[in-house]
Amino acid sequence: MRLSRYFLPVLKETPAEAQIVSHRYMLRAGMIKQQAAGIYSWLPLGFKVLRKIENIVHEEQARAGHIAIQMPILQPADLWRESGRYDDYGQEMLRMQDRHERDLLYTPTAEEMVTDIFRSHVSSYKDLPLTLYQIQWKFRDEIRPRFGVMRGREFYMKDGYNFDLTKEDALHAYNRHLVSYLRTYERMGLQAIPMRADSGPIGGDDTHEFLVLAETGESEVFYDSAVTDIRLGAREIDYDSHEECRAVMEEFTSLYARTDETHDEAAFNAIPEDRRRSARGIEVGQIFYFGTKYSEPMGAMVQGPDGQKVPVHMGSHGIGVSRLLGAIIEASHDDKGIIWPEGVTPFHVGIVNLRQGDEATDAACEQLYKALNAAGLEPLYDDTEERAGAKFATMDLIGLPWRITVGPRGLKNGVVELTSRRTGESEEMSLEAAIARVQEIYAPHMG
Ligand code: ATP
Ligand code: MG
């Protein structure tokens, strides 16, 4: 993309309404525009990152064997009356009527609808296990929408639902989700720690939330500092293996890590004192096992191997796709702007032309731009007439992890400059070497 033809409405001033750094930078970098309290338009740069995050979620869901569907945003209230949640959900649910005075609602989650799909089409244990998921807009009429996309009213969420014959199988689905979530967040350059949590209006016994540690997080958390040393890394996990998924789940959850809702002073104090931590965290996902809570009242039954009809065991599993943009920025920024991890960056590399209009410099930039595109990478080429300082400031603000700077002086010696946004370190090299280096850096992130 050439910046002269892009739509990147960066703001010079810091917007007064933004209280935390991710919200400030998303507004300043022209990623989002607020349209009403907690409701945003996604401008090109923000939309691009949203799509990258969404793609990672889809890829990791596919790897775990989960199947994508799409359910409607507006749902009939009657389904929610069957489960009893139409009355329970309270003021967070946005309710409306159509012209025939039929009650509708804007989906805050979708246990009822997916259970309805299941009961209409599945009747035998032979069709299990089954996990259906979607990535869809949700609405919750939050009392205090704030912090930009972190606590919106309209937000983008991955919600998945497992259907299993037995509790044991459903707990495997739970563990499988836990493992696949770990990989999902790690690919985004995030450490999200699974913590024992409270189940809230979804209901159920087993639930973990995934928290990204950050001072601006809304959740209070308590943990053993040793949990922050564990990574999934490049390990290959067999998602069908109950044992493997359980082993990873135990590895990541046996140390103390809880939100304030389930915090236990005595258990916490049993941790060696130098490892006890209390901090704040951003909830970027949650998994639940709730057994037959929905399948029983809604009649989602299958015939088991013995011919008996039994309600299926279920769980639901959410990832805060739009909230993740805020969480990633909270975890990765400096005083100049965002620092995107390679896995989610909107463009792979910025090209800064230091002397727009200089024939040799323009030609070298064009060559670089074309070669990077041909290599399957997405460069953002600042081909505007801005002075160098302003170009650098914009690149730093929007946070592309790598920048190639091209100017007449370097070209005389046959070099351009490759700069890391994270470390600020620059290295001079030939144009070809810079292209090769950028390709090498992104190789692990190119599907
Ligand atoms: P919270 O406790 O933050 O209100 P929740 O536990 O009610 O969230 P879930 O039902 O678990 O939310 O939804 C799954 C995920 O969706 C959450 O882990 C979070 O990342 C995201 N999410 C929930 N509410 C919002 C919101 N208002 N704005 C943005 N993302 C949200
Ligand atoms: Mg939650």
Side-chain angles (χ1 to χ4, degrees):
M1 180 57 62
R2 292 168 200 276
L3 190 54
S4 62
R5 297 192 196 160
Y6 200 43
F7 179 56
L8 184 73
V10 296
L11 306 179
K12 296 246 152 47
E13 260 101 78
T14 298
E17 76 271 22
Q19 298 161 30
I20 61 170
V21 70
S22 57
H23 190 193
R24 278 200 292 277
Y25 284 156
M26 285 185 77
L27 291 170
R28 280 193 51 208
M31 297 177 70
I32 51 170
K33 179 186 185 313
Q34 182 171 319
Q35 307 288 179
I39 300 179
Y40 292 87
S41 287
W42 292 79
L43 305 183
L45 195 74
F47 189 54
K48 228 161 176 311
V49 180
L50 188 70
R51 283 283 176 261
K52 291 245 172 148
I53 292 175
E54 179 179 2
N55 283 340
I56 292 177
V57 173
H58 276 304
E59 285 171 16
E60 294 307 323
Q61 287 299 301
R63 205 196 294 267
H66 305 161
I67 302 167
I69 59 171
Q70 190 82 286
M71 291 179 275
I73 287 172
L74 297 187
Q75 302 192 347
D78 281 344
L79 267 182
W80 291 68
R81 294 198 174 100
E82 282 188 55
S83 70
R85 281 209 297 182
Y86 190 65
D87 294 326
D88 290 353
Y89 221 97
Q91 292 200 294
E92 270 193 19
M93 180 184 275
L94 182 65
R95 298 154 207 256
M96 66 204 88
Q97 282 191 335
D98 65 14
R99 61 165 71 191
H100 305 294
E101 296 182 2
R102 279 187 286 250
D103 293 328
L104 295 171
L105 55 95
Y106 192 131
T107 175
T109 172
E111 280 80 6
E112 284 77 359
M113 185 158 283
V114 78
T115 305
D116 178 60
I117 293 170
F118 182 89
R119 71 180 171 186
S120 305
H121 299 288
V122 182
S123 56
S124 164
Y125 77 97
K126 290 179 189 151
D127 295 324
L128 305 183
L130 178 66
T131 295
L132 301 175
Y133 79 94
Q134 66 172 350
I135 302 181
Q136 178 62 291
W137 293 96
K138 304 292 185 303
F139 195 96
R140 295 182 189 171
D141 205 353
E142 303 273 358
I143 221 169
R144 277 185 75 201
R146 56 186 184 149
F147 301 157
V149 299
M150 292 270 237
R151 184 163 298 281
R153 291 195 296 164
E154 189 183 58
F155 60 99
Y156 206 38
M157 177 175 140
K158 173 263 169 184
D159 44 324
Y161 308 87
N162 68 282
F163 300 91
D164 288 278
L165 179 62
T166 63
K167 176 169 183 183
E168 200 219 313
D169 288 350
L171 290 178
H172 168 57
Y174 184 90
N175 296 342
R176 188 179 68 231
H177 276 86
L178 187 135
V179 179
S180 76
Y181 278 24
L182 290 168
R183 190 179 302 289
T184 303
Y185 298 123
E186 283 189 17
R187 279 188 60 187
M188 298 173 190
L190 275 182
Q191 181 173 36
I193 304 168
M195 301 198 180
R196 185 158 290 286
D198 187 61
S199 69
I202 309 271
D205 314 324
D206 282 297
T207 180
H208 280 87
E209 286 180 355
F210 291 77
L211 285 116
V212 173
L213 298 175
E215 282 165 28
T216 48
E218 291 185 281
S219 310
E220 193 180 8
V221 299
F222 301 86
Y223 61 96
D224 179 334
S225 65
V227 294
T228 60
D229 297 332
I230 319 172
R231 294 286 185 291
L232 200 55
R235 273 186 261 177
E236 278 303 324
I237 309 290
D238 175 1
Y239 282 109
D240 289 333
S241 162
H242 288 217
E243 295 70 34
E244 261 185 60
C245 291
R246 190 181 319 117
V248 175
M249 140 89 181
E250 280 164 9
E251 177 186 350
F252 277 84
T253 60
S254 52
L255 290 165
Y256 190 92
R258 295 191 186 190
T259 65
D260 55 355
E261 295 158 343
T262 55
H263 181 50
D264 173 347
E265 253 335 294
F268 186 60
N269 288 332
I271 305 168
E273 193 171 355
D274 60 323
R275 293 193 346 221
R276 261 177 248 160
R277 298 280 187 283
S278 71
R280 304 204 67 84
I282 301 166
E283 181 196 329
V284 292
Q286 186 163 12
I287 55 176
F288 300 87
Y289 163 73
F290 46 68
T292 59
K293 176 176 157 117
Y294 297 91
S295 56
E296 236 175 84
M298 294 187 65
M301 317 276 283
V302 292
Q303 195 154 39
D306 56 1
Q308 294 285 318
K309 280 203 151 198
V310 289
V312 288
H313 286 259
M314 293 175 58
S316 68
H317 315 278
I319 293 180
V321 175
S322 51
R323 179 180 286 182
L324 272 165
L325 277 93
I328 292 168
I329 297 171
E330 291 297 325
S332 184
H333 68 268
D334 63 14
D335 56 6
K336 290 186 262 174
I338 302 165
I339 307 172
W340 292 113
E342 273 86 358
V344 299
T345 185
F347 294 96
H348 295 112
V349 54
I351 303 171
V352 170
N353 184 333
L354 289 180
R355 185 84 54 82
Q356 202 70 40
D358 173 72
E359 208 173 309
T361 313
D362 288 359
C365 286
E366 281 301 320
Q367 189 190 340
L368 188 57
Y369 179 67
K370 291 197 172 119
L372 288 165
N373 275 307
L377 293 163
E378 284 188 283
L380 180 65
Y381 171 23
D382 190 342
D383 59 345
T384 65
E385 306 287 335
E386 289 282 347
R387 49 190 182 78
K391 289 187 176 186
F392 289 140
T394 299
M395 284 293 175
D396 284 345
L397 173 65
I398 69 173
L400 310 185
W402 297 93
R403 185 186 80 209
I404 301 175
T405 309
V406 184
R409 207 170 337 134
L411 287 178
K412 243 175 236 151
N413 302 320
V415 294
V416 297
E417 196 182 63
L418 178 66
T419 305
S420 157
R421 174 70 182 83
R422 189 168 295 278
T423 65
E425 279 163 26
S426 293
E427 209 184 314
E428 292 192 332
M429 58 187 79
S430 71
L431 208 133
E432 292 72 25
I435 295 165
R437 179 74 68 79
V438 173
Q439 274 187 276
E440 189 182 295
I441 289 165
Y442 282 103
H445 301 280
M446 308 299 286

